[in-house]
């Protein structure tokens, strides 16, 4: 996940890049949405390409994941 902001141009954030970044961080759509303060439906729409992710949300997600703010409580865990 290191360098996420450098790897993807924030002006051209593809649904594929959003999904891959979430998977690389080990997060569900619900936990990723919570991390950036949006609904799970919004996150799902970003990943499906129904809506475009604003660059500010991409940057917030990347900064939180790269700094470890997502922490264990937002990561997927086996139940």
């Amino acid at each position: 996940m290191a360098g996420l902001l450098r790897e993807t141009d924030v002006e051209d954030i593809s649904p594929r890049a959003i999904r891959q970044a979430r998977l690389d961080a080990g997060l569900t759509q619900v936990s990723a949405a919570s991390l950036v303060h949006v609904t799970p439906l919004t996150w799902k729409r970003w990943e499906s390409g129904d809506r475009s992710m604003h660059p500010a949300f991409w940057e917030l997600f990347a900064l939180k994941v790269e700094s470890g703010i997502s922490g264990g409580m937002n990561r997927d865990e086996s139940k």
Side-chain angles (χ1 to χ4, degrees):
M1 198 68 189
L4 181 60
L5 288 173
R6 290 180 298 278
E7 292 172 8
T8 305
D9 181 5
V10 295
E11 297 302 320
D12 187 30
I13 306 158
S14 71
R16 182 182 214 175
I18 295 167
R19 182 175 188 274
Q20 192 59 54
R22 175 182 59 80
L23 293 174
D24 289 348
L27 299 171
T28 63
Q29 288 181 335
V30 172
S31 59
S34 177
L35 193 63
V36 296
H37 311 286
V38 298
T39 66
L41 181 58
T42 296
W43 191 276
K44 181 179 177 181
R45 287 176 174 163
W46 289 338
E47 284 193 13
S48 69
D50 290 341
R51 299 280 169 107
S52 295
M53 179 187 267
H54 189 281
F57 286 109
W58 179 254
E59 290 181 16
L60 178 61
F61 179 77
L63 290 170
K64 284 189 168 186
V65 168
E66 290 175 359
S67 68
I69 292 175
S70 62
M73 72 178 201
N74 286 323
R75 293 193 179 270
D76 295 338
E77 296 178 6
S78 301
K79 294 183 179 177

